Amino acid sequence: MSTAAATAHHLVKTYGKGDAQVKALDDVSVEVFPGQLTAVMGPSGSGKSTLMHCMAGLDRPTSGRALIGETDVASLKDAELTRLRRDRIGFIFQQFNLVPTLTARENILLPLAIAGRKPDQDWYDQVISAVNLEDRLGHKPSELSGGQQQRVACARALVGRPSIVFADEPTGNLDSTSATEVLGFLRRSVEEFGQTVVMVTHDPVSASYADRALFLADGRIVDDIPDPTHEQVLETMGRLDPRRTRQQLDATHRLETREA
C-alpha cells in the first residue's frame, strides 16, 4: 500500500493526431506525500498544468494511472469522479472562481452546501481565522480586494477537509503583498493543519515556500529539489528557461531599486 497522497504512474497525455500530435506528458511518474507543499515548475508548455489536471481528475490521461490515495482517478466514471473531486480534493485557481452574487461566507460554504453537508463549526472557525477574513464574510467578491478574494478561495478549498489541495498559479493575479499573504496561508495549512498542497507556479518566490520543487521540461520531470531556496529555483529555471529567468531577475532588480 502506498503512503502517497497522490501518485502518477507512467502518465502520458497527448493532444491532436498524426503530424499535429503534441505530447504534453511523456511517461511521468511521481509521488506526492502527505503533509507537504509541493511546487510544480517549468517553462511554458512544459506540462506542469497538464500534470496537475490529470492528477486532480480535471483531465483524463491518454495512458497511465493517476491516484488520489489508492483511488485510480483515471478509471472512475463521471459521477464517481465528481464525488471524488467534491469530497476529497480542494481546488484553488488563479482566477478565484467565486460566485459574484454570493457573500464570502456563502462562497466558502458552497461546496458543502452542494454536497448536502454541514460544516464542522470548529474547523470552519479555524480556517476563517487562518485566512483572516472574520470581518469580511458578509461582503460579496466585488467588495473585496484580489488578495481577499483569493483567501476566500483558499478557505473554500480547505473547509471540507480534503485529502489534498491543488493550486494552479494561486498568486498569478495578485500583487506582492497579497501573494505573500496567500503563500503564508498555504504554508500554515501544511504546518498547522497537516494539509497536502500541490502548487503549480512559475514564480521562484512562491516555490521557495514549498517543501519540494518538481521541474518539468518537454513533458518530463527533469529535477526534484527538496526544501528549495529562491536561488536554487532561479538557477534551475535558468537552465530550463534562460530568457524568462532573465526577465524575472530584471523585474526583481527594478523593484528593489524603487524600494531603495
Side-chain angles (χ1 to χ4, degrees), residues 22 27 59 82 92 100 106 121 156 165 187 215 217-218 226 247:
V22 175
D27 194 25
D59 199 358
T82 297
I92 304 169
E106 290 167 338
Q121 191 61 48
R156 179 183 59 191
V165 171
R187 187 68 248 166
F215 294 85
D218 299 321
Q247 292 171 342

Side-chain angles (χ1 to χ4, degrees), residues 14-43:
T14 58
Y15 297 98
K17 296 181 179 180
D19 293 340
Q21 186 179 87
V22 175
K23 186 172 283 189
L25 294 177
D26 186 6
D27 194 25
V28 172
S29 294
V30 67
E31 290 183 312
V32 174
F33 293 100
Q36 290 189 352
L37 171 53
T38 300
V40 182
M41 303 195 74

Side-chain angles (χ1 to χ4, degrees), residues 92-97 146 150 167-174 202:
I92 304 169
F93 299 101
Q94 183 175 344
Q95 301 297 334
F96 316 144
N97 289 358
Q150 191 62 301
D168 195 357
E169 299 281 7
T171 63
N173 279 339
L174 304 179
H202 66 274

Side-chain angles (χ1 to χ4, degrees), residues 186-252:
L186 292 177
R187 187 68 248 166
R188 281 188 65 191
S189 75
V190 170
E191 293 178 354
E192 297 180 18
F193 302 153
Q195 186 62 61
T196 304
V197 180
V198 177
M199 175 178 63
V200 170
T201 182
H202 66 274
D203 176 30
V205 174
S206 297
S208 69
Y209 281 74
D211 299 291
R212 176 190 187 191
L214 298 172
F215 294 85
L216 276 76
D218 299 321
R220 290 176 173 268
I221 293 176
V222 295
D223 213 337
D224 184 347
I225 300 177
D227 300 317
T229 65
H230 180 247
E231 292 73 20
Q232 286 177 308
V233 173
L234 271 177
E235 191 276 330
T236 304
M237 288 300 293
R239 290 188 279 109
L240 301 178
D241 193 0
R243 182 178 177 182
R244 185 176 183 89
T245 304
R246 181 70 259 169
Q247 292 171 342
Q248 289 174 327
L249 287 170
D250 290 344
T252 300

Side-chain angles (χ1 to χ4, degrees), residues 145-147 171-182:
S145 69
T171 63
N173 279 339
L174 304 179
D175 59 46
S176 59
T177 300
S178 297
T180 298
E181 291 175 349
V182 168

Side-chain angles (χ1 to χ4, degrees), residues 8-13 27-28 61-67 72 74-75:
H9 283 300
H10 302 292
L11 280 185
V12 173
K13 180 64 179 180
D27 194 25
V28 172
T62 304
S63 63
R65 303 171 70 208
L67 293 88
D72 187 350
S75 69

Side-chain angles (χ1 to χ4, degrees), residues 7-183:
T7 310
H9 283 300
H10 302 292
L11 280 185
V12 173
K13 180 64 179 180
T14 58
Y15 297 98
K17 296 181 179 180
D19 293 340
Q21 186 179 87
V22 175
K23 186 172 283 189
L25 294 177
D26 186 6
D27 194 25
V28 172
S29 294
V30 67
E31 290 183 312
V32 174
F33 293 100
Q36 290 189 352
L37 171 53
T38 300
V40 182
M41 303 195 74
S44 178
S46 62
K48 56 186 184 294
S49 289
T50 303
L51 176 61
M52 191 200 83
H53 291 166
C54 287
M55 294 185 75
L58 296 173
D59 199 358
R60 293 188 184 272
T62 304
S63 63
R65 303 171 70 208
L67 293 88
I68 299 296
E70 298 295 330
T71 302
D72 187 350
V73 176
S75 69
L76 296 180
K77 296 179 180 179
D78 288 345
E80 296 170 325
L81 188 56
T82 297
R83 284 194 294 271
L84 176 85
R85 291 195 299 247
R86 183 188 66 198
D87 297 338
R88 295 178 58 190
I89 302 175
F91 294 100
I92 304 169
F93 299 101
Q94 183 175 344
Q95 301 297 334
F96 316 144
N97 289 358
L98 303 180
V99 179
T101 57
L102 300 183
T103 65
R105 179 186 290 105
E106 290 167 338
N107 268 288
I108 291 168
L109 294 176
L110 183 60
L112 292 179
I114 292 173
R117 294 166 54 195
K118 292 185 178 181
D120 177 324
Q121 191 61 48
D122 288 342
W123 176 247
Y124 172 82
D125 291 342
Q126 285 187 61
V127 171
I128 297 304
S129 176
V131 294
N132 193 26
L133 284 170
E134 294 94 333
D135 62 342
R136 309 298 288 175
L137 292 175
H139 292 69
K140 293 182 178 178
S142 61
E143 301 169 313
L144 302 173
S145 69
Q148 289 168 339
Q149 290 185 64
Q150 191 62 301
R151 281 185 277 143
V152 170
C154 289
R156 179 183 59 191
L158 260 71
V159 75
R161 288 194 166 184
S163 302
I164 188 168
V165 171
F166 290 96
D168 195 357
E169 299 281 7
T171 63
N173 279 339
L174 304 179
D175 59 46
S176 59
T177 300
S178 297
T180 298
E181 291 175 349
V182 168
L183 291 167

